[in-house]
Amino acid sequence: MIGPPPANSNDSQHPRSPIVAVAVSFAVGICLETWWPLSLLSWWIILAAVWGGWLIAFRRRRTAAAWLLCFACVAAGGLRQHWTTGITTANNIALFARETPQPVHLTGTVTGQPVVIPRKKHAFPSTIPEYDRTLCEIDSRTLLSGETATTVSGTVRLQITGHAPHIGVGDEVEVVGLLSQPVGRRNPGGFDFRNYLHSQGIDAMLRTDFPDAVQTVKPAGLWWQPLRFAADIREECGDVLTANLSPENAPVAAALLLGDRRDVTDDLRNAFAQSGTMHFLALSGLHVGILATLLWGICRLFRFPAAWTTVVILSCLIGYTLINEARLPVIRATVMAAVILIGQPWHRRARLGNSLALAALVLLLWNPAQLFEVGPQLSFLAVVAIVALMRLKTETAAIIQAKERHAPQELRGERFEQIHRWLRAPLHWIGDGLLITAGIWLIVAPLIAARFHMISPVGLVVNVLLMPLVIVVLWCGYALLFCGLLLPPLAPVFGYLFDNGLSLFLAIVDGAQRLSWGHQHVPGPADWWLIGFYALLVAAIFGSPKLAMRRWGARGLLCWCVLGLAVAVNPHKASQLRCTFFSVGHGSAILVELPNGRTLLYDAGQLHDAGRTERILENGAWELGIARLDAVVLSHADVDHFNAVPGLLDKLPVDGIYVSPSLLDTRQPAVAALCDAIFDSDIPLHSLGMDDQLLLDDDVNIRVLVPAGDVRGGSDNANSLVLAIEYRERVILLTGDLEGEGLLALYATPSLDVDVLASPHHGSLAANTLDLAAWCRPRWVIASGGRHSPTMALREVYGPGTTVLSTWTSGAVTVTIDDTGKIDVKEFVK
């Protein structure tokens, strides 16, 4: 017979987590300051007023006092965010930086250990040589620009072409280089590098092509020695991994143990992402938890008292955090571990919710921008999922045990009890693994789809299989580092185990990535849907039973998911034509969205880094709601017009690729690589010539003006495929790198009144002639070029009636033609 519950059962079932309320309130304040900023004085007044109200209400009205305390935390969060983003001293170095790099002479202190970034290996040859780079941060002190010396403050990121082993953290240095602002977001869906650096406390960038341009004025003092010692230990750990592991596995080991992913190839990163195992490669709380478990087991083996166990584990975790350059995921996990461990000697059990909230509060106090970073969001969501699932499991287990106690003994039987005992442990482990993996996957999948545009169902299975292997492999890795530093004779033993374990681990990841159903690229949900989804999810999991929040939250969550699916399957149609000239540097990438919803991509490449253009186009397409490309047209056989295509074929479905006959010259290695990628993807390849048409939309006339269909001679530029796109009596002319004989062939065709002209050959004056201006009389000319686009000279060529824009200064340029023929041209960077 079940007796009445104890008097304090309600408290035990619904424990209080006050730090959760504090952390949430602090985060709300950060959001308010980000979206609706107030002045510094306003935040101080609000904080003082609310705090005064709390002092008055504390003794008489506890509920009101609790709410006032939450409002005080909101004000504190807004104040911290304003202090981080809004306060700039009068001599901050950001005020002296311009978008155009300026030569300066800077002195300051190196605050971060210099890191060497290896040069990338590109699938296509680059005409610009690339070298290793050294990156570090410098706390500015004196700036000499011209003949004027100014005392400055703020942090700059120094980029040195080559290696600079003569400088280290804590050194006072002087640098001669080019000072500039970081590049902001320039394309739809693009990465805001300027905002990212600003969130990391970096105000400007300084670049020099010569290591000798950085000279040490004064070596690091005594206070910097712990950081230098940690940097030296980190470097020695890297040497241990290199000496004891195969060349293929050493970069992965450095990523797993040290958070160093510099040498991890893009192909391997994609394999982890597509197999749903990227969290293993990125150093996170999981790795810290596995290390803490290993240390706890060692302490138990040697029968350490609880107090000494806590000291040993925390000391090792703090040292590990310093060696890993105090990465925020490691700090979060270390704070959680500290909260849980500190109470163990006094048998005080920490609540996971409070521990998680305290870790979040520490990170937000350190850097409020972490609230908007996808990495911390995913990390905290995973922990919240584990907490919620364990809570659900506990409640379910209590119900099942109550039913089993009342079940007739004859229905269970002795044989059943014996089998149950045998299978309890493995079934318990498998069930927990599947439950936690599935729960985490379901909870983080919408955020991953929205930010990385990918879902990986294979991760549901492979993570359960990999978790035991990962634990053993990481234990071997930590043992290898320990022995490599302190007991070198034992290092080969653990190196052998670690190396073979990594090989098996990578083989499973590679096999999961190759499964055709294992991953899918998707546009991802909008931010408004994400906010609603997670708000309803929190209500369904943590809502108060008294207010029926769980029930209504679950129902609302189901309806919200149905709404999201309905919006996703609704076909995207518009009565307008939209043409986006992406900003890719010296290159070309033009996306045309037709009124019936079909799409055309004209060229996709840049002179230097194909991967950058690939990411720009991929993120831009997802941002614009485009999930496939109906046609890809490549103008000619220069790599800066097509080298991003092979990478895009893995991300976006393509129905057909169209080229001029002159491009199919496979004697060029880059063209041969392009053709191999197209054939491997089973995408139809078509040839286009003069007067051919692309029948993608009945209301839009897309025709080829030049070259002739049987052309074979001449240069690649002269044979550029020129498209005229006509809609509602408006004309957009896409010209590639047309010049020389190709221009003469174009002049032989009937002239056009062009509304928007893609400036041939990135604005080159040899291709943008007075004859071309007279032949097409454009209203807008858009040059897709680099920093040195000759916009002023182009204005003189085309005359005062033409607006000349450059994607370098304007960012992406979007041309919209509605169903009445009204044309609108917008610059992404105002």
Side-chain angles (χ1 to χ4, degrees):
M1 184 173 180
I2 302 176
N8 62 346
S9 63
N10 187 49
D11 293 338
S12 63
Q13 291 178 3
H14 305 287
R16 296 179 179 179
S17 301
I19 304 181
V20 174
V22 173
V24 171
S25 301
F26 195 84
V28 169
I30 293 173
C31 293
L32 290 176
E33 171 60 21
T34 301
W35 298 328
W36 299 286
L38 299 177
S39 66
L40 182 65
L41 179 61
S42 299
W43 281 119
W44 276 116
I45 293 174
I46 294 172
L47 181 61
V50 174
W51 190 254
W54 178 85
L55 291 175
I56 296 173
F58 175 69
R59 293 185 177 277
R60 297 181 179 181
R61 298 186 178 183
R62 293 296 181 89
T63 301
W67 280 105
L68 287 171
L69 185 60
C70 288
F71 288 137
C73 294
V74 170
L79 189 63
R80 180 69 182 96
Q81 174 69 355
H82 184 90
W83 197 278
T84 302
T85 60
I87 296 179
T88 301
T89 58
N91 64 344
N92 190 281
I93 196 167
L95 303 176
F96 300 89
R98 304 289 183 267
E99 288 193 359
T100 302
Q102 303 292 328
V104 297
H105 185 170
L106 179 75
T107 62
T109 303
V110 179
T111 57
Q113 183 65 21
V115 177
V116 177
I117 307 297
R119 63 181 181 273
K120 289 186 177 180
K121 296 180 180 179
H122 301 289
F124 293 97
S126 174
T127 57
I128 301 176
E130 190 168 353
Y131 306 94
D132 292 349
R133 295 171 296 142
T134 301
L135 298 180
C136 65
E137 285 75 47
I138 295 180
D139 187 15
S140 307
R141 180 173 300 174
T142 305
L143 178 69
L144 178 63
S145 181
E147 297 182 355
T148 304
T150 307
T151 300
V152 293
S153 62
T155 303
V156 299
R157 168 174 283 190
L158 173 62
Q159 175 180 311
I160 307 169
T161 302
H163 294 225
H166 57 286
I167 62 173
V169 61
D171 289 343
E172 294 185 18
V173 297
E174 57 180 13
V175 186
V176 177
L178 298 174
L179 181 70
S180 63
Q181 291 181 356
V183 177
R185 195 158 73 104
R186 311 181 67 84
N187 292 286
F191 179 63
D192 193 339
F193 187 58
R194 178 182 300 170
N195 185 62
Y196 167 76
L197 289 184
H198 186 62
S199 69
Q200 304 302 312
I202 298 175
D203 303 296
M205 295 185 65
L206 184 63
R207 180 176 61 86
T208 179
D209 292 332
F210 308 99
D212 290 341
V214 183
Q215 295 294 327
T216 301
V217 177
K218 181 181 178 182
L222 181 63
W223 291 103
W224 293 97
Q225 294 309 312
L227 289 179
R228 294 191 76 120
F229 178 72
D232 292 340
I233 293 295
R234 178 181 174 84
E235 186 174 350
E236 290 185 21
C237 288
D239 294 338
V240 169
L241 296 177
T242 302
N244 290 276
L245 301 177
S246 61
E248 297 80 13
N249 292 340
V252 181
L256 290 173
L257 301 178
L258 304 175
D260 183 2
R261 292 187 285 173
R262 291 173 295 169
D263 293 323
V264 177
T265 64
D266 290 339
D267 291 339
L268 190 55
R269 293 171 191 256
N270 289 333
F272 275 93
Q274 293 170 1
S275 63
T277 56
M278 192 65 183
H279 54 284
F280 290 136
L281 185 64
L283 186 64
S284 64
L286 172 67
H287 302 71
V288 177
I290 292 174
L291 174 59
T293 304
L294 174 63
L295 295 170
W296 179 83
I298 294 174
C299 291
R300 287 295 301 271
L301 179 64
F302 289 98
R303 300 182 181 276
F304 281 14
W308 279 105
T309 299
T310 299
V311 171
V312 169
I313 295 177
L314 286 183
S315 299
C316 292
L317 291 184
I318 292 173
Y320 186 64
T321 302
L322 292 176
I323 291 174
N324 281 285
E325 299 177 326
R327 298 175 188 271
L328 290 174
V330 182
I331 294 176
R332 175 190 60 78
T334 301
V335 171
M336 285 191 64
V339 173
I340 294 172
L341 288 169
I342 287 174
Q344 295 301 313
W346 297 274
H347 306 287
R348 300 297 298 272
R349 183 179 178 184
R351 300 290 179 185
L352 283 177
N354 270 333
S355 303
L356 181 65
L358 181 59
L361 193 59
V362 170
L363 290 186
L364 293 179
L365 284 168
W366 183 302
N367 186 356
Q370 292 298 307
L371 182 63
F372 307 104
E373 295 287 337
V374 66
Q377 290 171 0
L378 288 172
S379 183
F380 278 98
L381 275 178
V383 179
V384 168
I386 294 174
V387 173
L389 291 168
M390 290 299 98
R391 178 178 176 180
L392 177 64
K393 179 189 172 185
T394 301
E395 295 176 355
T396 305
I399 296 173
I400 294 175
Q401 289 175 3
K403 290 183 177 181
E404 285 184 349
R405 283 196 295 268
H406 291 80
Q409 183 69 28
E410 60 271 11
L411 293 181
R412 292 185 288 175
E414 186 176 336
R415 184 64 176 171
F416 175 83
E417 293 289 347
Q418 185 178 8
I419 294 175
H420 185 264
R421 285 195 299 270
W422 290 346
L423 298 180
R424 179 180 298 174
L427 289 178
H428 182 271
W429 176 80
I430 295 174
D432 282 356
L434 288 173
L435 177 66
I436 292 175
T437 302
I440 292 176
W441 187 88
L442 289 172
I443 289 177
V444 304
L447 182 59
I448 291 177
R451 298 295 178 257
F452 301 106
H453 308 291
M454 182 186 298
I455 55 174
S456 303
V458 70
L460 280 168
V461 179
V462 74
N463 279 288
V464 177
L465 298 175
L466 279 177
M467 184 56 71
L469 176 62
V470 168
I471 292 174
V472 174
V473 166
L474 286 179
W475 282 353
C476 292
Y478 294 131
L480 171 61
L481 292 182
F482 177 81
C483 293
L485 296 175
L486 301 178
L487 301 172
L490 295 179
V493 177
F494 290 104
Y496 176 82
L497 296 174
F498 188 37
D499 198 29
N500 284 276
L502 278 178
S503 297
L504 178 59
F505 170 63
L506 293 176
I508 296 175
V509 170
D510 183 66
Q513 179 252 347
R514 294 180 182 275
L515 296 174
S516 58
W517 56 269
H519 68 277
Q520 182 66 42
H521 295 276
V522 295
D527 287 345
W528 62 266
W529 188 90
L530 278 179
I531 294 173
F533 174 83
Y534 286 113
L536 291 169
L537 184 67
V538 169
I541 295 176
F542 300 105
S544 172
K546 294 181 180 180
L547 303 177
M549 289 181 63
R550 291 191 186 182
R551 184 193 313 162
W552 288 108
R555 293 174 179 176
L557 188 63
L558 178 61
C559 295
W560 197 254
C561 292
V562 172
L563 173 64
L565 290 174
V567 172
V569 300
N570 184 36
H572 172 71
K573 290 187 178 181
S575 58
Q576 63 182 19
L577 182 147
R578 182 166 59 185
C579 181
T580 303
F581 296 74
F582 286 95
S583 176
V584 295
H586 187 97
S588 177
I590 304 170
L591 182 63
V592 182
E593 302 167 74
L594 302 174
N596 65 355
R598 305 186 77 180
T599 55
L600 179 152
L601 177 64
Y602 181 88
D603 284 343
Q606 68 164 257
L607 193 61
H608 184 42
D609 185 359
R612 180 173 176 271
T613 301
E614 175 192 332
R615 291 187 294 272
I616 289 173
L617 286 173
E618 177 191 353
N619 293 329
W622 300 133
E623 179 76 10
L624 298 173
I626 297 172
R628 70 180 305 109
L629 298 173
D630 295 282
V632 174
V633 178
L634 303 179
S635 61
H636 64 294
D638 279 356
V639 292
D640 57 327
H641 289 254
F642 69 78
N643 58 7
V645 171
L648 278 178
L649 299 183
D650 295 331
K651 307 294 177 58
L652 293 172
V654 177
D655 289 344
I657 296 180
Y658 301 82
V659 301
S660 66
S662 64
L663 186 141
L664 299 175
D665 182 5
T666 55
R667 293 174 297 179
Q668 302 181 59
V671 172
L674 170 68
C675 293
D676 289 342
I678 295 173
F679 296 147
D680 291 342
S681 301
D682 293 326
I683 298 175
L685 183 63
H686 307 278
S687 176
L688 289 178
M690 182 181 292
D691 297 329
D692 285 342
Q693 290 185 316
L694 286 174
L695 304 177
L696 298 177
D697 191 318
D698 293 339
D699 295 329
V700 182
N701 182 22
I702 306 175
R703 58 192 178 96
V704 179
L705 301 186
V706 293
D710 58 350
V711 66
R712 286 292 188 273
S715 66
D716 290 330
N717 289 348
N719 289 321
S720 290
L721 194 152
V722 177
L723 282 187
I725 302 175
E726 301 170 273
Y727 177 63
R728 296 291 187 260
E729 299 182 357
R730 299 292 187 179
V731 180
I732 300 175
L733 193 66
L734 309 181
T735 59
D737 278 355
L738 189 70
E739 62 182 6
E741 297 175 0
L743 282 173
L744 297 177
L746 181 66
Y747 300 153
T749 64
S751 62
L752 288 175
D753 286 330
V754 173
D755 294 280
V756 178
L757 170 68
S759 176
H761 206 173
H762 316 287
S764 167
L765 296 180
N768 292 266
T769 63
L770 294 173
D771 291 335
L772 177 62
W775 181 86
C776 63
R777 299 177 295 278
R779 295 176 56 191
W780 283 276
V781 173
I782 302 173
S784 181
R787 188 186 303 274
H788 304 293
S789 296
T791 52
M792 296 299 295
L794 289 176
R795 292 188 179 99
E796 295 180 3
V797 171
Y798 289 100
T802 300
T803 301
V804 178
L805 302 175
S806 168
T807 57
W808 180 260
T809 55
S810 301
V813 178
T814 301
V815 178
T816 304
I817 305 173
D818 65 17
D819 56 354
T820 66
K822 180 181 177 180
I823 188 169
D824 183 39
V825 178
K826 291 184 177 180
E827 305 168 72
F828 193 84
V829 178
K830 300 299 184 181

